[in-house]
Amino acid sequence: MAVKRVRMTVNGRPVEETVEPRTHLADFLRERIGLTGTNLGCEHGVCGACTLEIDGAPARSCITFALACEGAEVRTIEGFAEDAVMAELRAAFTAEHALQCGYCTPGMLVTARDIVMRLPNADEARIRKELSGNLCRCTGYMGIVRAIQRVLASRAG
């Protein structure tokens, strides 16, 4: 299979690499760029562990081809290190015991940030609906929902 060149911005840094057309974005980020914060779970776009942002919107990197990101702005969990909302969410996840094994946490945090930014008035039912694409086998979601509610409340007042 012929390799092709792809250019994108990853966490604010321009990246140019050659990839096989079948290379998924998650594999590209982990294996070629060395960003291992994006976890692979189901590799079918179902579990949400690989959620990151592409051009500001949450996306499943396990079913997105790297070549489809030509010219895109990709932001992995590492790219949120200086983000104030993400810092609030990380603190709330800790305070509310919203993580256990941590495998789903990067994708869960990216989704949680999207909820906070897009739905400032989300109630518990809406938060749960928005989280339905992210699977967590450890927490039962109660702490995750409370953490998101905590951040929404702090930003409202």
Side-chain angles (χ1 to χ4, degrees):
M1 200 170 266
V3 295
K4 299 193 181 228
R5 183 155 300 283
V6 64
R7 292 171 201 86
M8 64 182 80
T9 303
V10 179
N11 299 333
R13 183 176 65 93
V15 171
E16 184 174 341
E17 293 279 336
T18 56
V19 296
E20 292 185 10
R22 66 182 179 183
T23 304
H24 289 105
L25 180 59
D27 295 325
F28 173 74
L29 293 168
R30 291 179 62 80
E31 296 169 12
R32 299 292 296 279
I33 309 299
L35 296 172
T36 57
T38 300
N39 290 329
L40 285 165
C42 68
E43 298 188 59
H44 295 285
V46 176
C47 75
C50 69
T51 304
L52 45 65
E53 279 188 359
I54 300 174
D55 293 330
R60 304 290 199 253
S61 61
C62 74
I63 57 171
T64 302
F65 290 113
L67 286 176
C69 296
E70 175 68 35
E73 173 72 36
V74 175
R75 195 173 189 193
T76 69
I77 193 66
E78 293 94 341
F80 289 97
E82 303 299 319
D83 184 89
V85 175
M86 191 61 83
E88 262 189 278
L89 282 163
R90 287 191 307 264
F93 267 55
T94 299
E96 297 293 345
H97 306 287
L99 53 102
Q100 286 182 30
C101 83
Y103 200 80
C104 72
T105 304
M108 198 67 78
L109 282 167
V110 171
T111 300
R113 184 182 181 282
D114 178 64
I115 294 168
V116 168
M117 299 304 291
R118 190 171 44 85
L119 302 166
N121 300 313
D123 61 7
E124 181 179 348
R126 183 61 189 263
I127 292 168
R128 287 183 178 280
K129 180 179 179 186
E130 294 292 323
L131 288 174
S132 66
N134 290 70
L135 302 179
C136 175
R137 296 180 188 259
C138 299
T139 67
Y141 299 91
M142 293 168 62
I144 296 167
V145 172
R146 283 193 312 263
I148 295 169
Q149 288 174 315
R150 178 186 284 234
V151 172
L152 287 171
S154 76
R155 295 176 65 78

